[in-house]
Amino acid sequence: MSSATALPPRGMLRIATDATLDKLLSGRGIWPAVPAIVVLAAVAVIPFGILLSLGFSDIAVERGAIISQTFTLDYVRTALADPLTFTVFQRSMVLALSTMLLCLFFGYPVAYLFLIGGPWVRRLILVLTIAPLLTSGIVRTYAWLVILGGRGLVNNTLIEIGLIERPLRIINTHWAVLIGMAQIHLPVMILPLIAVMSRHDRRLDEASANLGASRLGTLVNVILPLSVPGIGTGAALVFTISYTTFVVPQLLGGGNYLNAATMIYEQVVYSLEWSKGSVSSMILMATCLVVLVFIALITNHFTRWTKGREA
Amino acid sequence: MTPRRQLADTLAIGAILAVAVVALILLVAPSIVVVIISFDTRAYVSFPPVGFTLDWYAKVFEETALVEAMLNSLQVGITVTGLCILLGVPTALVCVRGRFPGTTALSVFVLVPHMVPGIVLGVAVLFAGALVGVGPSIYLQSLSIAVFVLAVMVRTVMSRLQRLDPALEEASANLGASPFQTLATVTFPLLLPAILAGAVFTFVEGFDNLSVAIFTHGFRDRPLPVELLALVQTTNTPLVAAVSGVQIVLAIVALVIVAATIGLDRVNE
């Protein structure tokens, strides 16, 4: 510690402590990160391993504690053979993919507006995008109950203008879940798109215009290809949360609407079939990963000019 | 460009911008509807409202279960934030400043729990706890949510660290400060805005998280999201709207803090 010698002389012990502190906390070595690594290992990595092992085990649970565990492939086999498993995961998959596409449809134009807008438009878009992310998911889902409910905004408006006589049943349908989910996850799509747009070099658009391209032509041939990484990130994030979300299907889908998350909840919390719940969680993770890899491959395929420069 | 092509171009761009405006309205309209409903005088949820009252807000604070749930969530939020600062800030420092192979691996490792779906983490922690005899409780809930959102704190602080002007720390070292003194008196104060912004995000997650909490919360210490979920499913009065109104106010406060600390345009990093 050459710098320590420049300090006014103090007791040997004090200098030794300083040197130790310097070594420990300078951030050059791994020590400051050790507590986090230990906690992550204990509360995430090891639990994932246990989750995996429970899927392949017959277990006995007594008063919330696992008292015995024996190896079996029965739960994996049963789950894979069960038509309900297939139906539930297929439903979740279709729902998540359609949510992703809807979010892209509504999110990309916002990103384009962000790109061409002035500072005030940009600030407004940031506020409107980030504010919902800081609001509880239940609150935002509840809002859709108010809007789509039997005596909600949509039904009352339709009755008022004489289009229908009785309220439509919108809540507790697949459509309610899709609408709610797309709106609630929209900010997650917009944020990565905005990130790409704020790095976008507007001189490229000018060059494109000077070469005779229309604004639409510039959007399709210059801006869109350059924003592919943002689309990939947004799509991956929206897919993951939509595929694994619990609140929206539970509240807008009604009691009988099962998606992967609500099924896992029922298996773990209500019927206490922990091995079944483990298998379902594993299927959830595995299928999610497959789609994420697929999204990454497509993103990579369509990423032009900037390959290797941007994440 | 021919006039016809120009018209087509204007129409296409106009349509795209119209979708953008609709999307922006969609982002906030539902929350505004909830706030409007929370002042309705009727005992059932319907839109538009017919009167104005603050009774539902008064009722929120009369319901012991709700107040207790809010206090529980407040405790979880504070614990999660504290844990994330204690564990996350040093980790971010190591990820950026580390002089050993594996700093990249470390920064990826920290992100892993955040990449995993919340319900899977919740289930995993519940099962692991059951194996070693640790039942669900407010502490288990706080710890698992902290692990879930630690990545947010690490990334916020890392992004600030990477943009710090190295000249400031070099100057401090040249003036005779030890690395630790530099860290405490120069680097740390410069990192404060990022830590505060990270604290807001981790607090909000601790307060609002449901996916991890439904599996790990204590049966007697129900957090607000769990209580609220049950309430939404069992009551049809604007009481839930009033709770939502309170939560929306908290979200606005959080937004203002984030805007004042790191700036909204840095949220992405």
Side-chain angles (χ1 to χ4, degrees):
Chain A
M1 287 296 114
S2 58
S3 52
T5 52
L7 288 170
R10 282 175 294 175
M12 283 301 287
L13 184 69
R14 184 64 200 273
I15 290 175
T17 324
D18 273 6
T20 320
L21 269 180
D22 286 346
K23 215 172 184 176
L24 277 178
L25 300 176
S26 64
R28 304 244 158 79
I30 199 172
W31 291 108
V34 167
I37 295 172
V38 170
V39 171
L40 288 185
V43 188
V45 179
I46 294 172
F48 287 139
I50 291 171
L51 181 74
L52 200 70
S53 80
L54 287 191
F56 296 98
S57 317
D58 224 346
I59 54 164
V61 179
E62 206 168 83
R63 268 183 264 139
I66 297 169
I67 49 170
S68 81
Q69 193 176 351
T70 43
F71 177 81
T72 173
L73 277 175
D74 287 358
Y75 291 100
V76 179
R77 232 179 262 138
T78 323
L80 292 180
D82 190 353
L84 180 70
T85 312
F86 184 75
T87 317
V88 166
F89 279 98
Q90 186 196 35
R91 181 186 292 149
S92 305
M93 186 65 76
V94 170
L95 186 67
L97 290 174
S98 14
T99 304
M100 185 183 88
L101 292 177
L102 263 179
C103 283
L104 190 58
F105 175 79
F106 282 103
Y108 201 87
V110 174
Y112 181 65
L113 180 62
F114 183 88
L115 179 71
I116 64 170
W120 276 102
V121 173
R122 287 188 167 206
R123 196 165 307 154
L124 181 72
I125 291 175
L126 280 171
V127 167
L128 294 183
T129 309
I130 296 166
L133 289 175
L134 296 168
T135 315
S136 149
I138 301 175
V139 168
R140 290 189 286 151
T141 313
Y142 174 75
W144 284 103
L145 281 174
V146 176
I147 294 171
L148 302 176
R151 286 183 283 209
L153 178 61
V154 170
N155 270 320
N156 279 1
T157 311
L158 289 178
I159 293 173
E160 195 72 30
I161 60 174
L163 262 175
I164 52 171
E165 282 178 6
R166 289 156 172 282
L168 294 172
R169 189 171 149 275
I170 313 173
I171 290 298
N172 298 353
T173 65
H174 183 80
W175 297 108
V177 179
L178 180 63
I179 295 170
M181 215 178 248
Q183 188 265 343
I184 288 163
H185 297 163
L186 184 55
V188 179
M189 175 66 87
I190 296 178
L191 272 188
L193 288 176
I194 286 180
V196 170
M197 294 302 185
S198 48
R199 285 197 297 265
H200 182 82
D201 188 349
R202 296 288 337 249
R203 284 175 303 182
L204 294 171
D205 308 348
E206 285 161 24
S208 165
N210 289 343
L211 291 169
S214 62
R215 280 185 296 172
L216 187 64
T218 304
L219 173 59
V220 174
N221 297 316
V222 179
I223 301 170
L224 190 63
L226 279 171
S227 58
V228 165
I231 297 176
T233 311
L237 289 173
V238 170
F239 173 80
T240 309
I241 53 172
S242 306
Y243 190 53
T244 62
T245 188
F246 174 82
V247 182
V248 183
Q250 181 80 4
L251 290 183
L252 297 180
N256 296 324
Y257 189 93
L258 273 190
N259 81 333
T262 49
M263 183 173 79
I264 293 172
Y265 179 68
E266 303 229 320
Q267 287 169 340
V268 172
V269 174
Y270 283 118
S271 48
L272 291 174
E273 298 165 301
W274 284 11
S275 295
K276 265 191 174 180
S278 297
V279 175
S280 308
S281 304
M282 282 190 269
I283 300 177
L284 182 76
M285 293 268 283
T287 44
C288 188
L289 204 62
V290 168
V291 176
L292 288 183
V293 168
F294 207 65
I295 293 176
L297 287 177
I298 298 176
T299 309
N300 204 33
H301 179 78
F302 285 104
T303 301
R304 307 223 182 281
W305 311 311
T306 54
K307 242 179 211 159
R309 276 201 286 136
E310 262 178 281
Chain B
M1 257 193 280
T2 61
R4 242 181 97 186
R5 256 191 78 198
Q6 192 136 30
L7 181 68
D9 187 46
T10 309
L11 282 179
I13 295 294
I16 290 167
L17 293 181
V19 174
V21 172
V22 170
L24 288 176
I25 293 171
L26 269 177
L27 280 175
V28 277
S31 302
I32 293 173
V33 167
V34 170
V35 173
I36 294 174
I37 282 294
S38 68
F39 300 116
D40 198 357
T41 44
R42 287 174 298 186
Y44 59 89
V45 167
S46 176
F47 199 92
V50 291
F52 180 88
T53 176
L54 286 173
D55 286 357
W56 298 112
Y57 284 90
K59 279 217 173 67
V60 168
F61 295 98
E62 283 164 15
E63 294 265 342
T64 18
L66 270 177
V67 175
E68 269 169 29
M70 280 187 205
L71 292 176
N72 285 336
S73 280
L74 198 65
Q75 189 191 328
V76 174
I78 292 170
T79 316
V80 167
T81 309
L83 281 171
C84 283
I85 293 176
L86 286 177
L87 298 173
V89 178
T91 308
L93 207 65
V94 173
C95 286
V96 177
R97 298 280 165 81
R99 295 279 175 279
F100 59 93
T103 46
T104 317
L106 178 66
S107 54
V108 173
F109 175 69
V110 173
L111 291 185
V112 169
H114 198 63
M115 297 295 180
V116 173
I119 59 156
V120 176
L121 182 69
V123 172
V125 170
L126 173 70
F127 290 174
L131 205 62
V132 294
V134 176
S137 69
I138 196 165
Y139 307 107
L140 190 67
Q141 184 200 345
S142 307
L143 186 62
S144 37
I145 298 178
V147 165
F148 186 54
V149 288
L150 183 65
V152 176
M153 177 66 82
V154 174
R155 285 190 57 174
T156 317
V157 176
M158 270 178 77
S159 127
R160 176 93 182 172
L161 258 176
Q162 279 156 348
R163 281 198 322 276
L164 279 191
D165 186 353
L168 294 169
E169 290 173 309
E170 282 161 22
S172 162
N174 289 343
L175 290 170
S178 69
F180 178 65
Q181 283 175 318
T182 303
L183 184 70
T185 56
V186 178
T187 318
F188 191 73
L190 287 169
L191 288 182
L192 260 183
I195 296 172
L196 195 55
V200 171
F201 285 113
T202 48
F203 177 83
V204 166
E205 189 65 36
F207 196 83
D208 286 336
N209 176 285
L210 181 75
S211 57
V212 177
I214 43 169
F215 296 106
T216 52
H217 74 87
F219 298 114
R220 288 203 197 87
D221 307 315
R222 285 168 33 124
L224 187 59
V226 172
E227 191 67 40
L228 204 54
L229 187 74
L231 199 67
V232 173
Q233 287 171 307
T234 51
T235 57
N236 189 28
T237 64
L239 181 67
V240 183
V243 182
S244 303
V246 174
Q247 295 229 60
I248 289 170
V249 171
L250 290 179
I252 294 172
V253 172
L255 184 78
V256 171
I257 298 177
V258 173
T261 49
I262 53 166
L264 294 175
D265 47 342
R266 295 241 181 265
V267 168
N268 258 315
E269 303 161 6

